[in-house]
Amino acid sequence: MNKKVSFAAVGQAAGNIGCLLEEKGYSVIYINTSQEDLDTLENAKFKYHIPGGEGCNKDRHKAKQLVIDDFDNIAGEIESKVKADMLFVIFASGGGTGSGAGPMLIDLLIDEGKNVGAITIIPAPDESVKSHINAYECFSELTEIPASGVCFIVDNGTGDKMELNEIFVDSLAAFLEIPEKHKSVKGNIDKAEIMETLNSHGMAMVARSKGMDSADVIQAVKDGVSAPMEPDRAVKYIAASLAGNVSMVDLEKAFGTPVDTFQTFNDAETICCISGLTYPLSRLETVYEKVAENKDLITKNLAATREAGLRKGVNFLDDIELPKKKTGEKKPQSKRDIMSKYL
């Protein structure tokens, strides 16, 4: 599968996940506005510094403008260095470079005819208000890209950042390796079924469990690194290599009835991917609440410093609602249209 799937790690936090994937044999290109961040990736094979970038200091607008100015070169680097059937753009939703550039880059690459998914990170509750503002705005854009593939979401609120990255990458790699490593006379999962699972729009969750009962696997999914599943039980695919007494019927009862299931069997552990899930709106509501509860205090602090020349406003997302589905047909968009809606 390392010939079928590749990765573009945008920003510093994404680089940490990218390095783990590259160690497992996957093609990764590291894209950043900060040359200093790229310089820390000593063993990275492909690195690209966006011209004119000196870091974005959590300024999403700055990152977007830099990508717009250099998009043709960025797309050319991705095409020449990590071409594959499907590309995942990795980025932290709470930062500057990745948060600002990630959704727009996905949208533009899809417009070029590529299959693109996302791997993104939600900030922990104790991270800054600015990180939460960025995360909410980032997801407001990301959820409005209907042609994107799955979105894996690593929730930093569930544990140590570096440990979460390792758990996620190990689980994702194990899932991608199922066609090559798991064979059974009772049924197999082929590469096309893996790709179909990954091309489903919406959130995806991936987990591993050495438990031999369905309850163990269900709990492993719920306790995993991802943002929690919404209670609506909307799901498109469940793909799993099952071990012990784990049953696909039990997984469907727990997670919802999918359009289709793909399954094979092994003796060591269950590896499960659930895709086509609703985006985690409840988790995003907590992100919004973090901003709202600090709004008055920060506004007061800004007002107190205005006499010293600080006149820069802060966007507290007053006019942004949780993403809603849009109905009706859309006219084809030019690249300029796509770029302009992000600025």
Side-chain angles (χ1 to χ4, degrees), residues 208-227:
R208 307 166 73 179
S209 173
K210 292 190 179 296
M212 293 292 125
D213 294 312
S214 297
D216 299 319
V217 176
I218 293 166
Q219 196 61 46
V221 172
K222 291 180 178 179
D223 292 342
V225 304
S226 179

Side-chain angles (χ1 to χ4, degrees), residues 58-319:
K58 293 187 178 178
D59 185 335
R60 300 183 73 245
H61 183 87
K62 185 188 294 186
K64 291 175 184 180
Q65 191 61 60
L66 288 166
V67 169
I68 285 173
D69 293 343
D70 195 48
F71 173 71
D72 289 341
N73 290 324
I74 294 171
E77 286 292 307
I78 291 172
E79 178 72 12
S80 63
K81 300 297 195 306
V82 295
K83 185 176 182 180
D85 291 352
M86 185 170 189
L87 174 77
F88 278 93
V89 178
I90 313 170
F91 54 96
S93 67
T97 299
S99 176
M104 183 175 65
L105 188 58
I106 290 171
D107 212 349
L108 290 167
L109 291 170
I110 289 172
D111 185 66
E112 298 240 313
K114 300 185 185 305
N115 294 324
V116 189
I119 299 170
T120 188
I121 303 164
I122 290 183
D126 61 356
E127 293 186 49
S128 71
V129 176
K130 181 61 175 175
S131 294
H132 284 73
I133 291 174
N134 285 350
Y136 196 89
E137 291 184 324
C138 180
F139 272 96
S140 294
E141 296 168 355
L142 184 62
T143 55
E144 293 296 324
I145 307 174
S148 61
V150 300
C151 177
F152 291 103
I153 301 172
V154 178
D155 187 348
N156 276 350
T158 62
D160 176 77
K161 296 178 183 180
M162 295 304 180
E163 290 180 4
L164 294 176
N165 290 346
E166 290 184 8
I167 293 169
F168 168 72
V169 170
D170 286 345
S171 298
L172 178 60
F175 174 69
L176 295 176
E177 292 166 0
I178 286 176
E180 291 147 2
K181 294 189 174 181
H182 296 233
K183 308 290 184 183
S184 172
V185 294
K186 295 187 289 184
N188 290 305
I189 295 177
D190 59 32
K191 292 178 181 178
E193 290 166 335
I194 294 286
M195 297 304 292
E196 187 170 351
T197 304
L198 296 177
N199 273 297
S200 175
H201 179 70
M203 186 176 79
M205 305 173 78
V206 62
R208 307 166 73 179
S209 173
K210 292 190 179 296
M212 293 292 125
D213 294 312
S214 297
D216 299 319
V217 176
I218 293 166
Q219 196 61 46
V221 172
K222 291 180 178 179
D223 292 342
V225 304
S226 179
M229 188 182 300
E230 287 292 293
D232 59 10
R233 290 167 56 86
V235 56
K236 190 168 183 180
Y237 296 112
I238 301 177
S241 180
L242 307 174
N245 300 314
V246 181
S247 160
M248 183 63 78
V249 172
D250 291 338
L251 299 185
E252 289 187 38
K253 288 179 181 177
F255 304 127
T257 303
V259 174
D260 205 354
T261 60
F262 309 119
Q263 61 184 315
T264 187
F265 304 86
N266 75 95
D267 298 325
E269 64 175 347
T270 294
I271 304 163
C272 178
C273 182
I274 307 164
S275 70
L277 296 162
T278 306
Y279 276 93
L281 300 184
S282 298
R283 178 66 176 90
L284 294 175
E285 182 64 24
T286 67
V287 171
Y288 182 87
E289 289 169 356
K290 166 80 173 186
V291 176
E293 70 186 19
N294 287 279
K295 174 183 175 182
D296 292 341
L297 176 61
I298 294 180
T299 302
K300 180 180 178 180
N301 289 342
L302 288 174
T305 60
R306 281 199 183 112
E307 289 185 2
L310 181 59
R311 302 185 180 277
K312 189 174 181 180
V314 173
N315 174 16
F316 280 96
L317 316 182
D318 291 335
D319 300 321

